[in-house]
Every structure is written in structure tokens, then in C-alpha cells.
Amino acid sequence: QSALTQPRSVSGSPGQSVTISCTGTSSDVGGYNYVSWYQQHPGKAPKLMIYDVSKRPSGVPDRFSGSKSGNTASLTISGLQAEDEADYYCCSYAGSYVFGTGTKVTVL
Amino acid sequence: QVQLVESGGGLVKPGGSLRLSCAASGFTFSDYYMSWIRQAPGKGLEWVSYISSSGSTIYYADSVKGRFTISRDNAKNSLYLQMNSLRAEDTAVYYCARAQIVVVPAAIGYWGQGTLVTVSS
């Protein structure tokens, strides 16, 4: 399977909102409500931020939200904070996993 | 708390073999699907393989099919990845990972810290 398509980078000032898109096909993103998002700081393991398109695990701030329309899923970070600067990956599960290409979020 | 500790990484020549291990604790290991996910230096995440809680269901990425074998020992709370016919493009940090919930392994809830595998002559 081909990797899901994400923008290479997005940026925003503290307090602003940024949205990361994740585009797949009807065989993955569009076909199932099993999209998850991961945050990865340099040198660290990824951390689950959103699962099942829009659900947040306990402990994840409600500034993080997810949605999906057709073959494209999105992660929105509201009220951007310095610690949100990281790489973000989407992932679709359809019997196997396919990850997105990754997006670097920069806090200006 | 959930802990996943990988071991077995290192430097290996092309065509060689390596066996990774993952020691799990802090949860009922035999209840969860487990995966191996890798990340080449400076690159993105790539799913490698997963195994169901009982070991009866196994899937591999096309890039490793026929060369890698995933297995688990529920009595020892351990996950393994036997890697044969290694290639330079297998160079990566390999993460042991647990599904977030028991019923459907749709998301990865927990990750180990990773072990580096370098394939080079």
C-alpha cells in the first residue's frame, strides 16, 4: 500500500490553530473510521493523539481534534503551544496499517 | 504502567540475520495484538508486521514478506522479530508497539523506545 499523503510542513504562532490533512483512498481512509494520529518529538517514540478519526485518549489535551471527509482526514491543533512543535503522522487501519508521510509542525 | 522494551538491534552485514525481542509488562500481554513498526533515519514511520493476541493471525508489509517472521510467547510476555536476508534499506529504528484496545487493533496505543538496526558492510 502507498503511504498516505500529508503536507511536509505547517506552521503557526502561539495561540493560533493549524490543520494537517491526510489524504488516502476509498480503500483506506475513506473506507473505514480507523484513522489515528501520532505526535513524535525528535529522538522520541511516537505518541497516540487521536484514534477512530476523532477520539482522544485520556491525557491528550482537547486542543487536539480529528475529523474526516471522504478520503481525507484532518488533525487540528487549536491554541497552538510551543510544546506542540513536533512531527505528526496519520495512520489508517484496514486490516493492516498504512502511515502518512509525516508533517512537521513549527511554532513560530 | 505499560512498558515495552526492545533489544537485539545492532550492526549486521547485508544478507545477514538478526532477531529482535520485546519484553512487555504492565498489562495482560496475551490480550493484545502486537506490532513492529520501523523508522529509517530521518524518514517516516513504516508498519512492518503484526500478530494477533493468540498468534493465529499474522500480517506483513510487502517490503519484508518472506524475509521477516513475527512471533510471540505469551507465557514470557515477549514479542519477537526474526529478520533474515537483511538489506541496506532495512536500516531503521524498530519499535515494538501494542494495540490501543483489545477488540480491534485499529490504533497503536503504546510504543517502546526502539532499537536501531544498521545493515552495512
Side-chain angles (χ1 to χ4, degrees):
Chain A
Q1 280 184 309
S2 299
L4 308 176
T5 301
Q6 298 181 231
R8 186 175 295 268
S9 64
V10 299
S11 61
S13 299
Q16 289 186 329
S17 293
V18 295
T19 296
I20 304 167
S21 61
C22 169
T23 301
T25 70
S26 58
S27 296
D28 40 58
V29 173
Y32 306 87
N33 287 326
Y34 291 143
V35 176
S36 51
W37 290 89
Y38 303 86
Q39 176 192 65
Q40 187 180 34
H41 288 108
K44 300 293 187 182
K47 174 187 175 183
L48 178 65
M49 304 302 285
I50 295 287
Y51 67 99
D52 292 355
V53 175
S54 60
K55 298 177 182 176
R56 273 179 291 106
S58 63
V60 172
D62 59 7
R63 304 184 288 104
F64 292 85
S65 62
S67 63
K68 190 185 84 166
S69 177
N71 296 337
T72 298
S74 298
L75 174 72
T76 298
I77 309 173
S78 306
L80 200 61
Q81 298 185 5
E83 60 261 35
D84 299 333
E85 185 162 295
D87 293 326
Y88 291 81
Y89 295 90
C90 62
C91 180
S92 174
Y93 175 76
S96 62
Y97 301 97
V98 58
F99 284 95
T101 49
T103 299
K104 181 173 180 57
V105 170
T106 301
V107 181
L108 301 171
Chain B
Q1 71 279 23
V2 173
Q3 279 201 311
L4 300 169
V5 180
E6 304 93 338
S7 61
L11 175 64
V12 61
K13 289 182 168 53
S17 298
L18 213 54
R19 188 193 196 209
L20 305 183
S21 299
C22 171
S25 61
F27 65 100
T28 305
F29 181 73
S30 58
D31 281 349
Y32 290 88
Y33 279 64
M34 298 294 296
S35 291
W36 289 99
I37 295 163
R38 68 184 181 183
Q39 187 170 34
K43 303 297 184 182
L45 300 171
E46 180 189 15
W47 168 74
V48 173
S49 179
Y50 80 66
I51 185 169
S52 64
S53 53
S54 66
S56 60
T57 299
I58 289 174
Y59 282 100
Y60 298 99
D62 288 344
S63 57
V64 307
K65 204 173 293 183
R67 301 187 299 122
F68 290 12
T69 302
I70 192 172
S71 62
R72 65 190 296 160
D73 186 335
N74 286 343
K76 294 183 178 180
N77 291 342
S78 293
L79 177 73
Y80 307 101
L81 185 68
Q82 177 67 42
M83 304 185 294
N84 298 332
S85 302
L86 282 161
R87 307 166 179 166
E89 54 264 37
D90 295 318
T91 294
V93 172
Y94 284 73
Y95 292 102
C96 169
R98 195 205 85 175
Q100 190 206 7
I101 62 172
V102 169
V103 179
V104 178
I108 304 296
Y110 295 89
W111 303 66
Q113 283 306 300
T115 187
L116 176 62
V117 172
T118 303
V119 184
S120 174
S121 54

